[in-house]
Amino acid sequence: MPEVFLTGVVSRFLRDQGIADINPLLILDEIVQLSGLMRRTPDRSYQFMHAAIQDFLAAKYTVETGSFFPSTVNVWDARAGYAACLSGDATQSMIYSLRHGIDNIAFHDCLVNGAGFDSAQVATEVLRVLRRAPVRVVLSSTQRKDLKAIEV
Amino acid sequence: MSHDFFTSARPHFITALLAAALYERSRDTAVDVIVGYCLWELQKRDLRLDKQTAKEIRVTYGSLDFSFHVHKRSGMVTVLPTQLLDSSSE
């Protein structure tokens, strides 16, 4: 993100909070030096330190602005997964994501993050997907001693 | 599809998967994989399923490498590997 864009965002935030006498660049300096959320590049752009933070915030923005529509998502990546989790009911997201493969990141994130979803609907869809497309299933013990694979 | 798929799943979803597979009333590879995985996961985590589901599995999968221990107080069933089968198992 270019610095001019971020200073604009910070200025707007400060204005909304009724704080007008602080240089937004100082706030950016503090974020970079103290929070560990972002870093400044030599060309004075800003990057999130971890893609996960960026994905989470992007997903949060998408959900809060009402612009997350599972049926229009093309890539079921971590960002889509976070959005599904934050949307309250991840059922449709999980069902749509299964169209892009059973092992997609978003579906996994919904399971791991304890997203709310209709178990029966999603389970039925998992079964349907397994039947429709050949999937390689890897079964392993907890110690991963005897790895077995089943072709479905 | 990796084992992570099932290890990440909450107990409620595992039992829902099992129910969806058994609801089919017929066996194919997809159903077998789901039932096998779910039972394996239930056994690994020491989770319980209801008695009726255990009966359905026993009828459909006679040669399964799992057995069921019925808890008399709760009526729920724990999945056991065959070698752990004891006199209290159904």
Side-chain angles (χ1 to χ4, degrees):
Chain A
M1 288 169 282
E3 190 168 70
V4 66
F5 168 75
L6 270 184
T7 50
V9 172
V10 174
S11 298
R12 197 161 56 244
F13 172 78
L14 291 172
R15 199 172 50 245
D16 290 347
Q17 298 299 313
I19 311 165
D21 54 345
I22 294 179
N23 183 349
L25 280 172
L26 291 176
I27 303 285
L28 285 179
D29 280 344
E30 292 230 350
I31 291 172
V32 168
Q33 289 167 16
L34 300 178
S35 76
L37 283 173
M38 298 172 107
R39 68 187 184 95
R40 187 186 285 127
T41 62
D43 64 346
R44 297 201 67 86
S45 283
Y46 292 80
Q47 295 174 335
F48 284 100
M49 292 294 280
H50 300 285
I53 298 170
Q54 183 174 351
D55 284 334
F56 175 78
L57 293 174
K60 193 167 183 288
Y61 175 81
T62 311
V63 171
E64 287 178 353
T65 54
S67 50
F68 176 64
F69 302 105
S71 60
T72 61
V73 174
N74 291 318
V75 182
W76 285 96
D77 54 9
R79 189 175 297 191
Y82 290 140
C85 292
L86 291 167
S87 66
D89 182 358
T91 307
Q92 286 309 308
S93 297
M94 292 174 83
I95 288 173
Y96 277 113
S97 78
L98 285 171
R99 295 177 184 177
H100 297 258
I102 206 158
D103 264 344
N104 70 77
I105 294 168
F107 190 92
H108 184 258
D109 280 350
C110 287
L111 291 181
V112 171
N113 294 324
F117 63 91
D118 185 316
S119 293
Q121 276 191 56
V122 176
T124 304
E125 188 66 14
V126 167
L127 186 62
R128 206 174 66 81
V129 169
L130 267 182
R131 281 188 160 147
R132 199 180 52 206
V135 175
R136 184 174 172 78
V137 180
V138 179
L139 182 63
S140 71
S141 68
T142 45
Q143 289 81 30
R144 303 183 69 83
K145 280 179 189 165
D146 52 339
L147 209 65
K148 298 173 186 171
I150 309 164
E151 291 287 348
V152 179
Chain B
M1 184 184 196
S2 70
H3 68 288
D4 287 343
F5 181 92
F6 288 87
T7 51
S8 312
R10 302 285 163 109
H12 192 246
F13 186 51
I14 291 177
T15 48
L17 278 169
L18 199 52
L22 293 172
Y23 181 76
E24 293 295 312
R25 305 273 176 207
S26 64
R27 283 184 63 176
D28 59 27
T29 318
V31 169
D32 286 359
V33 163
I34 287 190
V35 171
Y37 250 132
C38 288
L39 287 177
W40 187 59
E41 202 59 36
L42 289 166
Q43 183 252 315
K44 200 172 69 181
R45 294 199 227 166
D46 199 24
L47 300 172
R48 295 178 181 191
L49 64 155
D50 65 86
K51 206 171 172 178
Q52 184 56 38
T53 305
K55 267 186 183 165
E56 279 183 45
I57 295 168
R58 167 137 301 178
V59 168
T60 316
Y61 296 86
S63 60
L64 207 66
D65 273 351
F66 290 96
S67 53
F68 302 108
H69 171 82
V70 182
H71 297 262
K72 290 190 173 68
R73 278 179 73 178
S74 62
M76 299 299 277
V77 177
T78 307
V79 183
L80 299 170
T82 302
Q83 60 267 31
L84 295 181
L85 184 67
D86 60 27
S87 57
S88 60
S89 297
E90 193 177 57

